[in-house]
């Protein structure tokens, strides 16, 4: 249906993605209002249904009602379906069905797929879409089986399998929805190495980007990695290690988080929070009980987010690395930003700066508005929730269920913008670019 609407309206790729995601959210919202979607038989009201559908489609994980106790199996399957569509991207799924029906993928559809997968060109996008579908199925299958085996020690077999696959799909897509009840997430497994390592692996693999996964898989034949893959892998490893070490140090003596745990539990708890902050949303420590310094660190990690072409949000690891590289180059008095003996083009630096500034503006503006509309909420809690929504992380200090109707709508819009990306939204709203027939003379201003 979405494909037919797109073809009829002849929209450009950014507008197609915006309208496509909006239609999916509206369909999901309608399904969650049905009486069969909730345990009480009343269905969700439209605002809560819209919030939940947006959070699932944008693979965020912020919730206004508890997923495990509010929804029936039908409602949970609707949420899981939205997570899968939102994580893969509707154009990837549309390409899959088109290939199944042996339909030719048009140039226009390849351009939309390119925008959806955040690729530099249309070359190989159909092959990449096929790889994404196969890899996603394998990752979720393996993760689901492993978690089902572990959960079988705590739940009846049928429930363990259902829980195992639900949490595998949710965490691979960096969504963070859980079925444990009472907003507990995976806190019961904070010192469980099996659950921690399996879920962390799902989050990381889902968050490094499908192009990176493809290159790593092909490395045995090509023995070559692109600059993009090298930057993503090195930056991801750096952020995971740095986040783990800092959370371990900051929370070590906190009696409500790490202090009661064994040394292994402390390490696992620190690792999980470091990984999930970029942009999964499930948690094994009580987020609201963490020290302010730890919460601010998590805000920074959430804002950076995952990597391009992945299921995660944020400004992306490559953007962060490029900006840090530019700062280092300026400090050293060098003209070029160099990564792995390759020069970053100036327009990529400008794009990184644009993405970061737009992201900062959105977070600051929404935080300021919510500080006015939610006067009883602490400022750090508001900033945390807004950053979580923009980065499509889903971690929460508990403010989301208490938001006013206006606050919920604002967070819905923030999640939507965060999932599609600030530049995609900007391009969708902007007028068609006009060719410039002249350039102004150079001018100088004093900086710093």
């Amino acid at each position: 249906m979405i494909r037919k609407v797109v073809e009829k309206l002849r929209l450009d790729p950014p507008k197609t993605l915006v309208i496509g995601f909006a239609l999916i959210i509206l369909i999901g919202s309608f399904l969650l209002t049905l009486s069969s979607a909730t345990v009480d038989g009343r269905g969700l009201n439209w605002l809560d249904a819209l919030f939940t559908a947006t959070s699932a489609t944008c693979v965020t994980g912020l919730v206004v009602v508890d997923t495990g106790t509010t929804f029936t199996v039908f409602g949970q399957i609707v949420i899981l379906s939205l997570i899968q569509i939102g994580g893969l991207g509707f154009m990837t799924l549309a390409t899959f069905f088109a290939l199944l029906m042996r339909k030719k993928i048009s140039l226009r559809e390849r351009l939309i797929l390119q925008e959806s997968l955040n690729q530099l060109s249309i070359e190989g996008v159909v092959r990449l879409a096929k790889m994404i579908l196969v890899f996603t199925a394998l990752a979720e299958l393996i993760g689901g089986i492993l978690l089902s085996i572990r959960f079988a020690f705590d739940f009846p077999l049928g429930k363990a399998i259902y829980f195992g696959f639900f949490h595998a799909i949710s965490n691979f897509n960096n969504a963070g929805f859980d079925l444990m009840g009472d907003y507990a997430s995976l806190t019961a497994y904070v010192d469980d190495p099996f659950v921690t390592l399996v879920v962390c692996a799902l989050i990381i693999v889902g968050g490094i980007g499908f192009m990176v996964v493809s290159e790593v898989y092909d490395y045995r034949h090509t023995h070559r990695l692109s600059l993009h893959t090298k930057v993503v892998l090195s930056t991801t490893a750096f952020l995971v290690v740095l986040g783990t070490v800092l959370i371990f140090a900051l929370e070590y003596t906190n009696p409500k988080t790490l202090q009661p745990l064994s040394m292994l539990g402390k390490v696992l708890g620190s690792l999980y929070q470091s990984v999930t902050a970029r942009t999964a949303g499930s948690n094994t420590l009580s987020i609201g009980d963490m020290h302010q310094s730890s919460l601010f660190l998590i805000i920074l990690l959430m804002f950076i987010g995952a990597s391009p072409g992945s299921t995660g949000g944020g400004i992306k690891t490559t953007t962060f690395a490029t900006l840090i590289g530019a700062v280092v180059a300026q400090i050293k008095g060098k003209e070029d930003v160099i990564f792995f003996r390759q020069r970053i083009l100036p327009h990529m630096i400008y794009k990184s700066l644009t993405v970061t500034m737009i992201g900062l503006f959105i977070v600051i503006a929404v935080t300021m508005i919510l500080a006015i509309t939610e006067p009883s909420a602490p400022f750090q809690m508001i900033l945390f929730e807004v950053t979580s929504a923009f980065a499509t992380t889903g971690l929460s200090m508990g403010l989301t269920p208490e938001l006013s109707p206006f606050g919920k709508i604002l967070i819905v819009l923030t999640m939507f913008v965060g999932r599609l990306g600030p530049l995609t939204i900007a391009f969708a709203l902007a007028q068609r670019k006009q060719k410039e027939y002249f350039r102004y003379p150079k001018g100088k201003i004093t900086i710093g």
Side-chain angles (χ1 to χ4, degrees):
M1 183 186 77
I2 295 173
R3 187 179 178 183
K4 291 181 179 179
V5 171
V6 168
E7 290 177 352
K8 188 174 181 180
L9 295 177
R10 305 296 294 175
L11 300 169
D12 58 28
K15 288 187 175 70
T16 299
L17 292 178
V18 171
I19 293 176
F21 269 97
L23 286 175
I24 291 168
I25 289 170
L26 290 176
I27 293 170
S29 301
F30 169 74
L31 293 175
L32 293 178
T33 61
L34 299 177
S35 59
S36 56
T38 57
V39 174
D40 61 11
R42 299 177 181 178
L44 287 184
N45 63 66
W46 260 105
L47 181 55
D48 287 348
L50 175 65
F51 191 103
T52 305
T54 303
S55 184
T57 306
C58 297
V59 289
T60 303
L62 288 174
V63 293
V64 288
V65 294
D66 184 67
T67 309
T69 56
T70 302
F71 297 101
T72 60
V73 172
F74 170 75
Q76 292 167 1
I77 295 299
V78 169
I79 291 172
L80 198 62
S81 300
L82 293 174
I83 290 171
Q84 192 71 86
I85 294 171
L88 287 174
F90 71 89
M91 277 308 300
T92 305
L93 293 175
T95 301
F96 170 68
F97 288 117
L99 291 171
L100 280 182
M101 299 172 67
R102 298 188 176 182
K103 289 186 176 181
K104 187 177 179 181
I105 309 300
S106 67
L107 175 61
R108 177 179 178 74
E109 289 167 337
R110 290 170 190 265
L111 289 170
I112 298 172
L113 193 58
Q114 174 197 350
E115 181 77 21
S116 175
L117 298 177
N118 200 14
Q119 297 300 294
L120 298 177
S121 70
I122 64 171
E123 182 181 357
V125 290
V126 175
R127 175 184 174 275
L128 180 59
K130 293 178 185 177
M131 187 281 297
I132 289 172
L133 291 164
V134 173
F135 177 75
T136 297
L138 285 175
E140 292 175 352
L141 177 63
I142 294 171
I145 291 173
L146 292 175
L147 290 178
S148 297
I149 293 172
R150 174 61 186 87
F151 289 153
F153 289 93
D154 301 328
F155 307 108
L157 183 59
K159 186 175 182 180
I161 294 173
Y162 178 58
F163 272 37
F165 278 89
F166 186 100
H167 290 91
I169 294 172
S170 177
N171 284 287
F172 174 79
N173 287 285
N174 283 211
F177 280 84
D178 73 275
L179 301 178
M180 296 303 175
D182 298 323
Y183 303 101
S185 193
L186 298 175
T187 52
Y189 299 93
V190 60
D191 55 356
D192 188 313
F194 191 86
V195 172
T196 296
L197 296 178
V198 169
V199 176
C200 281
L202 287 169
I203 294 170
I204 291 173
V205 172
I208 60 175
F210 295 112
M211 188 173 72
V212 173
V213 172
S214 177
E215 283 196 19
V216 171
Y217 178 77
D218 292 337
Y219 181 77
R220 53 183 179 160
H221 301 299
T222 62
H223 299 289
R224 184 183 65 83
L225 295 176
S226 68
L227 176 62
H228 171 83
T229 295
K230 291 177 182 178
V231 171
V232 166
L233 293 178
S234 58
T235 307
T236 298
F238 170 76
L239 291 173
V240 169
V241 173
L242 179 65
T244 301
V245 171
L246 290 178
I247 290 173
F248 181 88
L250 294 171
E251 293 295 316
Y252 189 86
T253 58
N254 189 339
K256 297 181 179 179
T257 56
L258 292 185
Q259 189 186 53
L261 302 175
S262 64
M263 183 57 68
L264 176 62
K266 288 181 173 69
V267 173
L268 292 174
S270 302
L271 172 66
Y272 196 99
Q273 266 48 239
S274 175
V275 171
T276 195
R278 303 182 27 255
T279 60
S282 56
N283 56 285
T284 57
L285 295 178
S286 175
I287 300 299
D289 290 326
M290 297 180 77
H291 291 314
Q292 289 188 6
S293 53
S294 302
L295 293 172
F296 188 69
L297 171 65
I298 290 176
I299 288 173
L300 296 177
L301 292 175
M302 289 193 298
F303 187 75
I304 295 170
S307 300
S310 71
T311 57
I315 63 170
K316 304 296 191 292
T317 52
T318 49
T319 303
F320 171 73
T322 301
L323 291 179
I324 294 298
V327 171
V328 172
Q330 281 292 308
I331 292 174
K332 291 184 176 181
K334 296 182 178 179
E335 291 186 2
D336 298 325
V337 176
I338 307 296
F339 289 143
F340 299 99
R341 297 184 179 181
Q342 295 186 58
R343 178 169 55 90
I344 304 298
L345 297 176
H347 80 271
M348 300 305 297
I349 300 174
Y350 292 144
K351 185 175 181 179
S352 298
L353 183 60
T354 302
V355 169
T356 303
M357 291 307 297
I358 292 176
L360 279 173
F361 174 78
I362 292 171
V363 170
I364 291 170
V366 176
T367 301
M368 186 176 295
I369 295 171
L370 286 182
I372 298 172
T373 62
E374 319 293 326
S376 60
F379 175 77
Q380 188 178 38
M381 184 178 286
I382 294 174
L383 178 61
F384 191 98
E385 225 78 1
V386 171
T387 308
S388 180
F390 169 75
T392 68
T393 304
L395 291 176
S396 175
M397 292 179 65
L399 175 63
T400 299
E402 308 299 326
L403 288 172
S404 65
F406 179 81
K408 291 178 182 178
I409 293 173
L410 201 56
I411 292 295
V412 163
L413 293 174
T414 306
M415 290 189 291
F416 188 74
V417 172
R419 177 63 183 98
L420 287 171
L423 283 184
T424 298
I425 300 292
F427 290 154
L429 296 176
Q431 299 292 326
R432 190 175 297 274
K433 190 166 89 172
Q434 300 291 328
K435 183 177 180 180
E436 294 182 355
Y437 294 97
F438 64 93
R439 298 180 72 182
Y440 290 100
K442 292 182 178 179
K444 293 183 179 180
I445 59 174
T446 302
I447 301 295

